[in-house]
Amino acid sequence: MALPVEHEALTKAFSGFGVNEKLFISELGRWHSEQRKVFRKRSEQFFIEDERGFERWDHHHVALLEREFLRFKTTLVLWTMHPWERDAGLANEALINGPQSYGVLIEIACTRSSEELLGARRAYHSLFDLSIEEDVASQVDGPERKLLVALVSAYRYEGPSVKEEVAKAEAKILYNAIKNGVSKKPSEDDEVVRILSTRSKLHLKTLFHYYKEISGHNIVVDFDVDMYLKQTVECMYAPQTYFSQVLDAALRDDADEAAKRALIRVIVTRAEVDMKEIKEVYCKLYGVSLSETIEAKAHGNFKDFLLALVEKGQSD
Amino acid sequence: MQHAAGDEAFDSSLGWGTNEALIISILAHRDAAQRNLIRQTYAKTYGEDLLKVLDKELSNDFERAVLLWTLDPAERDAYLANETTKRWSSSNLVLMEIACTRSPHELLLARQAYHARFKKSLEEDVAHHTTGDFRKLLVPLVSSYRYEGDEVNMTLAKTEAKILHAKISAKAYSDEEVIRILSTRSKAQINATLNHYDNEFGHDINKDLKDDPKDEFLALLRATVKCLTRPQIYFEKVLRLAINKRGTDEGALTRVVTTRAEVDLKVIKDEYHRRNSVPLDRAIGKDTHGDYEKMLLELVGRSDA
């Protein structure tokens, strides 16, 4: 009988992403009431035996099911949205979610161009009647406030001009800040925040190069103690590596919902920017293609839509 | 018409003795868009930037007034801001002025002009050239992109008025909360907060910021509050101090007149008259002379139009 297959389909809906609509239609849709009853009786994790003589849906699992059905719609809405509105919404959501999501603020502030970040700030005004910096400043409580406010307020120069001597001197400043990291947290060091939040990206790339000369390793390695600074530097230094790591964390079997949401966010926001490079780095880091992993972990329309976005630009 | 004006400016400045009067009469009566057009037309016709030509021909205070006036507002602000990174003291006030008396949109345009002209961001230069409490305040101020709506949250205004009062009472003038409120909230919100401060504690917040008359940071903080809430009062005082000083502070005088001529100089003039019992143009006339005086008076008189 076909029962184990549907059972497996439904169970699968609670792992990975999305739901297998086709399977539900072709199988579950054909059941008559006796088959459905057998299903309910055999699926103890979905249905609870009620004392009044019926099998009751476990509400928690209904909620999980809802969430998985919702992923396709979320992706669709996010994909069609103007990038400014998208980033403003993501930033606001991150603030509401709290410290575990502050990384999204850093991601937006550091991987968008100056004009894109500016646009997000404009959209923030429209959506929330507040400026992004006032919201970040008033909602973030800890020592990371200084860094986060500075990062979202930046309007970096994007031209080719770089002063080598200044980059070299500032590399030394950062190096010393890490060395003294025991006595004074680097993320609270005014000079560290100043350099990372105001200098142009090209200046910082030059600076990171000198840093390696001075310290012998990549700055990302040395900034390991402070997660916000580390992420800031990662986003500036090698954004595609950063995004690959975020995707990997989202696609792991033990990923929590916060990590999983990153899958949609990264793919939608990078699909037409640097998805090609991200795919290459992902493959190099994890030995398997991003599309293959998505194919294995996601289902149905949601999976198809994601793959379409990931493959976008392949034929362009 | 602009082409003819460009011609006249060229003729007047090319070695046949500079005709400052003509320069004044042409430029002083043009608005920003027209001045821009004159510059563009001049450059296209004669292959040189009008400002560079003027730079060669004119001198000192007069030249500076003409230069500042001819730049469009965003470039002017970028120019003034950049100047401050090369100097000291009063430069902090200029940066704060630009950050707080311009609209958020105008500040943004200034930041864009700064990129174009100086190949750096305004905030990176300000951060690099300031230290301590001044940096703590000025960098967020110049980086702000305040919400421009009129919406006000009265509960928040009450809360933040209390926060400000608590910090000030503890003499924690450069506390992060003070900086946060002044540098991120919308102007409407700040106004509501400071009105509530007055209601709740019986006096203007600046009264509580007068602890040490020599403290430059406190002076900057008071000026910041003024610029965010009553810019014309602030500018009147700058003018009053600039003109009364033994030896006029031409820098400040030129700056205020050229940057406010197309904004609110009329209101500032009225305030000046009210406060000093003498009209601004008469005070300027007494304290300056020559072409510099003429240029200033044209701009001051212009604001009546």
Side-chain angles (χ1 to χ4, degrees):
Chain A
M1 230 214 125
L3 190 53
V5 180
E6 292 88 60
H7 193 146
E8 185 193 312
L10 207 55
T11 316
K12 245 194 156 182
F14 300 116
S15 73
F17 303 77
V19 292
N20 193 336
E21 295 95 347
K22 284 206 177 68
L23 195 60
F24 289 166
I25 295 169
S26 66
E27 303 299 335
L28 296 180
R30 288 186 304 113
W31 289 354
H32 51 69
S33 65
E34 189 52 42
Q35 286 169 299
R36 295 198 305 277
K37 186 186 178 101
V38 170
F39 173 72
R40 286 193 300 269
K41 283 236 182 268
R42 294 223 193 147
S43 312
E44 285 155 350
Q45 73 268 49
F46 300 149
F47 296 92
I48 305 167
E49 196 64 49
D50 189 275
E51 59 190 6
R52 293 190 177 83
F54 65 100
E55 312 81 35
R56 192 163 39 91
W57 252 116
D58 168 42
H59 287 261
H60 174 63
H61 277 87
V62 175
L64 290 182
L65 202 58
E66 241 183 83
R67 190 187 66 194
E68 294 310 323
F69 268 98
L70 217 53
R71 290 206 201 271
F72 180 42
K73 167 223 152 208
T74 304
T75 310
L76 179 70
V77 170
L78 217 54
W79 174 244
T80 47
M81 212 180 258
H82 192 292
W84 294 357
E85 181 182 359
R86 189 189 304 154
D87 281 347
L90 287 171
N92 181 257
E93 190 187 299
L95 266 181
I96 293 173
N97 285 342
Q100 49 163 356
S101 297
Y102 289 164
V104 177
L105 290 171
I106 298 178
E107 186 181 298
I108 294 172
C110 297
T111 64
R112 309 317 189 231
S113 73
S114 292
E115 292 305 317
E116 287 168 347
L117 180 57
L118 191 60
R121 292 173 83 175
R122 286 206 178 96
Y124 207 95
H125 286 185
S126 296
L127 293 173
F128 307 109
D129 291 346
L130 292 166
S131 68
I132 193 173
E133 63 267 26
E134 90 182 270
D135 231 359
V136 172
S138 61
Q139 308 268 14
V140 175
D141 225 349
E144 63 272 17
R145 181 208 272 191
K146 230 190 286 197
L147 177 67
L148 293 177
V149 173
L151 288 177
V152 299
S153 308
Y155 186 45
R156 301 177 201 257
Y157 167 67
E158 289 190 314
S161 162
V162 169
K163 284 221 167 80
E164 298 273 338
E165 333 82 61
V166 179
K168 201 174 192 176
E170 294 185 341
K172 209 166 270 159
I173 294 176
L174 289 186
Y175 176 69
N176 289 330
I178 312 283
K179 266 208 309 179
N180 299 330
V182 181
S183 50
K184 183 183 190 186
K185 283 193 76 187
S187 63
E188 290 173 61
D189 185 320
D190 281 343
E191 283 290 271
V192 174
V193 174
R194 168 183 75 79
I195 293 168
L196 291 180
S197 68
T198 66
R199 291 302 187 198
S200 77
K201 288 184 180 170
L202 194 57
H203 179 103
L204 288 175
K205 278 206 163 68
T206 311
L207 187 158
F208 294 153
H209 166 80
Y210 282 117
Y211 186 94
K212 188 157 187 190
E213 276 183 12
I214 300 171
S215 117
H217 2 99
N218 281 332
I219 191 167
V220 183
V221 171
D222 282 355
F223 262 148
D224 219 357
V225 275
D226 188 305
M227 69 168 166
Y228 294 116
L229 280 188
K230 176 166 192 250
Q231 195 192 322
T232 303
V233 172
E234 279 174 346
C235 285
M236 302 280 195
Y237 179 75
Q240 287 91 23
T241 306
Y242 162 78
F243 283 122
S244 297
Q245 290 169 340
V246 172
L247 287 172
D248 174 66
L251 290 163
R252 256 184 250 150
D253 284 335
D254 56 354
D256 62 17
E257 183 55 25
K260 281 173 145 188
R261 272 212 290 276
L263 180 64
I264 298 177
R265 182 182 81 240
V266 173
I267 291 181
V268 167
T269 58
R270 309 314 287 179
E272 285 179 316
V273 183
D274 52 4
M275 184 53 72
K276 188 160 172 296
E277 289 87 344
I278 293 173
K279 284 196 295 189
E280 284 167 17
V281 175
Y282 183 92
C283 202
K284 218 177 286 177
L285 285 175
Y286 305 109
V288 61
S289 86
L290 179 61
S291 303
E292 274 174 52
T293 317
I294 293 177
E295 183 69 54
K297 299 288 176 80
H299 317 289
N301 293 333
F302 175 66
K303 176 192 75 177
D304 292 339
F305 197 54
L306 276 191
L307 288 176
L309 297 184
V310 167
E311 300 303 317
K312 207 179 186 321
Q314 208 78 309
S315 48
D316 286 355
Chain B
M1 186 235 181
Q2 278 75 20
H3 185 89
D7 268 345
E8 288 175 52
F10 176 73
D11 288 348
S12 82
S13 55
L14 190 52
W16 294 307
T18 312
N19 191 339
E20 286 87 352
L22 200 56
I23 291 174
I24 296 172
S25 73
I26 292 169
L27 291 174
H29 296 282
R30 304 287 186 274
D31 66 29
Q34 291 167 321
R35 298 197 303 277
N36 217 355
L37 195 50
I38 292 177
R39 267 180 84 190
Q40 283 175 39
T41 311
Y42 189 94
K44 219 182 292 177
T45 313
Y46 302 105
E48 244 197 300
D49 185 350
L50 176 61
L51 291 175
K52 282 213 171 64
V53 176
L54 294 173
D55 187 39
K56 281 186 261 177
E57 302 285 337
L58 310 178
S59 62
N60 302 337
D61 300 320
F62 175 54
E63 175 202 335
R64 190 179 158 70
V66 172
L67 171 73
L68 285 181
W69 179 243
T70 313
L71 287 170
D72 80 40
E75 281 183 301
R76 186 189 302 145
D77 283 346
Y79 180 89
L80 286 170
N82 182 257
E83 251 191 348
T84 72
T85 64
K86 305 195 168 78
R87 283 196 268 160
W88 196 226
S89 60
S90 77
S91 54
N92 290 328
L93 280 175
V94 177
L95 288 172
M96 178 280 302
E97 242 175 64
I98 294 171
C100 299
T101 64
R102 309 327 187 223
S103 74
H105 181 67
E106 288 166 346
L107 177 57
L108 189 60
L109 291 177
R111 289 171 84 176
Q112 288 173 343
Y114 202 95
H115 280 185
R117 188 165 177 147
F118 301 107
K119 315 290 183 222
K120 275 176 291 181
S121 69
L122 173 60
E123 64 268 25
E124 85 183 273
D125 265 355
V126 172
H128 194 208
H129 290 97
T130 54
T131 54
D133 289 344
F134 293 98
R135 181 198 281 185
K136 263 180 97 167
L137 177 63
L138 290 172
V139 174
L141 283 182
V142 302
S143 309
S144 68
Y145 187 34
R146 299 177 202 259
Y147 175 64
E148 285 181 87
D150 292 321
E151 292 86 350
V152 163
N153 180 331
M154 289 312 286
T155 316
L156 190 62
K158 292 193 179 119
T159 312
E160 296 194 334
K162 281 205 179 67
I163 294 175
L164 287 175
H165 187 256
K167 297 296 178 185
I168 291 174
S169 303
K171 297 200 202 287
Y173 303 116
S174 62
D175 184 273
E176 277 186 28
E177 285 291 272
V178 176
I179 310 269
R180 171 182 73 76
I181 294 168
L182 291 180
S183 68
T184 67
R185 292 299 184 199
S186 73
K187 289 185 183 176
Q189 183 67 34
I190 289 176
N191 256 300
T193 302
L194 296 183
N195 282 337
H196 188 80
Y197 189 104
D198 202 327
N199 295 342
E200 182 74 21
F201 304 108
H203 49 258
D204 189 272
I205 191 175
N206 273 356
K207 234 198 180 136
D208 290 337
L209 293 172
K210 287 214 164 93
D211 192 42
D212 174 5
K214 287 213 181 64
D215 187 327
E216 279 191 38
F217 183 71
L218 279 183
L220 182 63
L221 214 50
R222 290 195 304 273
T224 303
V225 168
K226 271 273 149 61
C227 281
L228 289 170
T229 55
R230 314 278 304 281
Q232 294 91 13
I233 308 280
Y234 165 83
F235 282 119
E236 181 280 323
K237 184 165 184 186
V238 175
L239 286 175
R240 181 169 15 111
L241 295 178
I243 297 175
N244 285 354
K245 263 165 100 150
R246 228 180 316 125
T248 314
D249 179 353
E250 289 88 2
L253 180 55
T254 307
R255 183 180 82 242
V256 176
V257 171
T258 56
T259 59
R260 307 313 285 180
E262 283 167 312
V263 185
D264 53 3
L265 194 52
K266 170 112 188 21
V267 181
I268 297 171
K269 263 192 348 182
D270 293 341
E271 178 61 27
Y272 188 92
H273 196 164
R274 188 196 67 78
R275 178 68 176 69
N276 300 284
S277 309
V278 61
L280 180 60
D281 45 13
R282 197 162 344 137
I284 289 176
K286 271 187 74 190
D287 256 46
T288 60
H289 56 269
D291 301 308
Y292 178 53
E293 174 193 336
K294 290 203 200 87
M295 183 70 183
L296 289 180
L297 291 179
E298 283 292 338
L299 295 180
V300 168
R302 188 189 190 290
S303 66
D304 283 329

